[in-house]
């Protein structure tokens, strides 16, 4: 941490900062210039809140040298995390990007879900994603079929061998969802639900952590850190768009730069969700292609057997025919990606 003192800072103020940092276990290097004093505080003490130092008398500015997350950072682990599932599917690092597809909500009609699952399998997609517990902006909208939906997903897995991704919204439901899911999803609205992060940190299944609609990249990685420091290091990040100022044409703003930034600062896999980011099905294919070019480890795409009558997010879901066409194009692109240049850590 670098602490820049005001030009008018008194000797007593400088000393107070030094003593306070030393008491916290930092080694101090004092640089006294003609005008200002700069204090370098060296030590791996990520617990110190820079704001508490910045508010001391005589302090002008505080700069972090090390990111405040440790387990999620490249400093903590140089090589990419690759998560391997019991059936051999891998996600992360230089592994081939993978698709996660399925309806926003699992609905009463299990045949519709199975149609999507068979189409996914046919196109070589390893993950079926569907919501059983749905976070909805309005309490009057469809809230999900809960355990019945989990059972439908399990049936789809049995019939197709696809891995299941589904969201958990409450700590109470973690054991239930963990029982059915191969990947437990934390939705964007719950990215900073710290009790929930802690609960999934204690479970055995990989976690798909979606970026909060207004979360900075640092906050996103700190949310991953909450899961990891509770024991679960199998975290897959998901960029799903952040709040922009114009939602006339797109639901959110897809922050694709987040992908190479996260690859530079973290070893965790990251997938991109163009459905929730853009809110319109015609944007799925172009933004998926762009995401693959930024180095994304996968894509999360909503697919519904009858999007016009979907219980949620039909406008951003592909129908099965559209999905097959898009998947074909994406598979072709994935086959041509220059893997040597995909790793963001080589700068
Ligand atoms: C979802 O994945 O279906 C969902 C509700 O997305 P998000 O949490 O990104 O809004
Ligand atoms: Mn959705």
């Amino acid at each position: 941490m670098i602490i820049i003192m005001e030009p008018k800072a008194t000797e007593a103020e400088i000393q107070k900062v030094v003593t306070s940092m030393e008491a916290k276990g930092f080694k101090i290097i004092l640089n006294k210039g003609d005008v200002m004093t700069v204090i370098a505080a060296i030590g791996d003490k990520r617990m110190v809140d820079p704001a508490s130092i910045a508010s001391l008398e005589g302090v002008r500015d505080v700069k972090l040298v090390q990111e405040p997350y440790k387990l999620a950072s490249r400093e903590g682990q140089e090589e990419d995390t690759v998560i391997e599932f019991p059936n051999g599917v891998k996600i992360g690092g230089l592994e081939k990007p993978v698709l996660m597809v399925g309806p926003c909500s699992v609905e009463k009609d299990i045949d519709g879900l199975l149609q999507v699952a068979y189409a996914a399998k046919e196109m070589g997609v390893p993950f079926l994603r569907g919501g059983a517990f749905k976070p909805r902006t309005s309490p009057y909208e469809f809230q999900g079929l809960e355990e019945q939906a989990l059972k439908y997903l399990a049936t789809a897995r049995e019939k197709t061998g696809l891995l299941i991704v589904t969201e958990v919204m409450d700590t109470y439901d973690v054991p239930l969802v963990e029982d059915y899911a191969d990947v437990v999803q934390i939705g964007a609205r719950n990215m900073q639900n710290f009790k929930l992060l802690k609960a999934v940190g204690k479970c055995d299944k990989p976690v798909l952590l979606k970026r909060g609609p207004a979360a900075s990249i640092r906050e996103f990685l700190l949310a991953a850190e909450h899961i990891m420091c509770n024991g679960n290091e199998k975290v897959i990040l998901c960029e799903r768009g952040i709040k922009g100022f114009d939602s006339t044409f797109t639901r959110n703003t897809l922050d694709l730069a987040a992908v190479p930034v996260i690859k530079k600062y973290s070893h965790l896999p990251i997938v991109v969700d163009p459905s929730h980011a853009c809110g319109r099905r015609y944007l799925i294919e172009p933004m998926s292609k762009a995401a693959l070019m930024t180095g994304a480890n996968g894509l999360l795409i909503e697919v519904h057997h009858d999007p016009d009558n979907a219980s949620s997010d039909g406008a951003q879901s592909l129908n099965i025919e559209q999905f097959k066409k898009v998947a074909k194009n994406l598979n072709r692109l994935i086959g041509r990606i220059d893997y040597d240049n995909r790793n963001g850590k080589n700068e």
Side-chain angles (χ1 to χ4, degrees):
M1 195 180 280
I2 304 291
I3 303 154
I4 303 159
M5 302 301 293
E6 294 284 4
K8 283 192 293 207
T10 64
E11 201 44 54
E13 287 166 347
I14 294 170
Q15 211 36 62
K16 190 167 171 197
V17 174
V18 169
T19 316
S20 141
M21 293 308 283
E22 278 175 344
K24 293 180 171 76
F26 285 85
K27 183 170 167 253
I28 299 298
I29 299 174
L30 206 55
N31 302 287
K32 280 193 184 228
D34 289 344
V35 184
M36 287 155 100
T37 296
V38 174
I39 301 166
I42 297 163
D44 186 16
K45 295 282 179 291
R46 290 165 212 247
M47 271 67 103
V48 180
D49 176 10
S52 71
I53 312 297
S55 67
L56 293 175
E57 287 299 324
V59 174
R60 170 173 282 198
D61 202 1
V62 176
K63 301 218 178 291
L64 289 180
V65 177
Q66 247 174 347
E67 286 297 320
Y69 43 86
K70 187 173 181 175
L71 299 170
S73 81
R74 277 242 186 250
E75 290 156 22
Q77 181 184 311
E78 169 79 14
E79 62 292 349
D80 289 315
T81 286
V82 176
I83 298 170
E84 183 165 1
F85 292 83
N87 65 356
V89 170
K90 291 182 187 166
I91 181 165
L94 298 182
E95 294 297 327
K96 245 169 54 166
V98 288
L99 267 55
M100 301 174 170
V101 308
C104 178
S105 304
V106 174
E107 300 166 12
K108 280 218 170 67
D109 171 16
I110 189 174
D111 288 340
L113 179 70
L114 294 175
Q115 282 176 43
V116 174
Y118 284 122
K121 188 179 162 88
E122 184 189 327
M123 299 313 294
V125 170
F127 294 94
L128 177 68
R129 198 205 71 118
F133 294 90
K134 293 304 304 172
R136 304 307 304 278
T137 305
S138 161
Y140 305 114
E141 291 170 334
F142 182 61
Q143 306 290 307
L145 295 180
E146 307 192 349
E147 190 165 5
Q148 190 188 350
L150 295 173
K151 290 188 170 143
Y152 284 1
L153 288 165
T155 304
R157 175 175 45 206
E158 245 169 61
K159 291 187 182 292
T160 60
L162 296 186
L163 296 160
I164 300 301
V165 185
T166 194
E167 176 164 353
V168 64
M169 286 171 55
D170 195 288
T171 51
Y172 175 82
D173 295 314
V174 171
L176 175 74
V177 175
E178 188 191 0
D179 235 23
Y180 286 92
D182 298 290
V183 177
V184 176
Q185 174 178 324
I186 299 292
R189 295 161 185 80
N190 270 321
M191 190 204 82
Q192 284 188 316
N193 179 338
F194 300 114
K195 280 203 163 170
L196 188 55
L197 298 179
K198 187 172 176 178
V200 296
K202 295 194 186 308
C203 84
D204 282 334
K205 299 284 169 70
V207 177
L208 178 77
L209 175 67
K210 298 190 97 180
R211 180 177 182 183
S216 68
I217 290 174
R218 185 174 282 153
E219 287 164 339
F220 190 18
L221 289 170
L222 279 168
E225 189 81 6
H226 272 272
I227 299 171
M228 297 172 85
C229 75
N230 278 288
N232 189 350
E233 303 213 341
K234 289 177 271 171
V235 177
I236 303 162
L237 302 167
C238 177
E239 165 59 46
R240 47 75 75 199
I242 48 177
K243 287 265 180 230
F245 60 86
D246 183 1
S247 56
T248 320
F249 300 107
T250 59
R251 185 174 173 180
N252 290 291
T253 298
L254 179 52
D255 181 11
L256 280 183
V259 177
V261 170
I262 282 174
K263 291 204 160 282
K264 181 172 162 64
Y265 289 96
S266 175
H267 50 85
L268 294 173
I270 175 163
V271 303
V272 170
D273 170 356
S275 287
H276 291 90
C278 301
R280 306 280 183 277
R281 72 174 65 96
Y282 82 96
L283 292 169
I284 292 175
E285 182 170 352
M287 298 319 286
S288 293
K289 288 176 173 165
L292 289 172
M293 289 299 103
T294 62
N297 297 107
L299 297 163
L300 192 162
I301 297 174
E302 288 191 330
V303 179
H304 193 280
H305 68 290
D306 180 13
D308 293 343
N309 291 300
S311 300
S312 57
D313 286 351
Q316 62 189 38
S317 306
L318 300 172
N319 67 28
I320 291 179
E321 198 191 329
Q322 291 161 341
F323 157 66
K324 286 188 183 173
K325 220 170 120 217
V326 170
K328 192 169 157 213
N329 293 339
L330 296 178
N331 284 340
R332 196 178 303 143
L333 184 61
I334 288 169
R336 298 208 312 248
I337 289 173
D338 174 0
Y339 288 95
D340 290 344
N341 284 317
R342 268 186 67 232
N343 198 333
K345 68 182 173 178
N346 318 317
E347 202 180 68

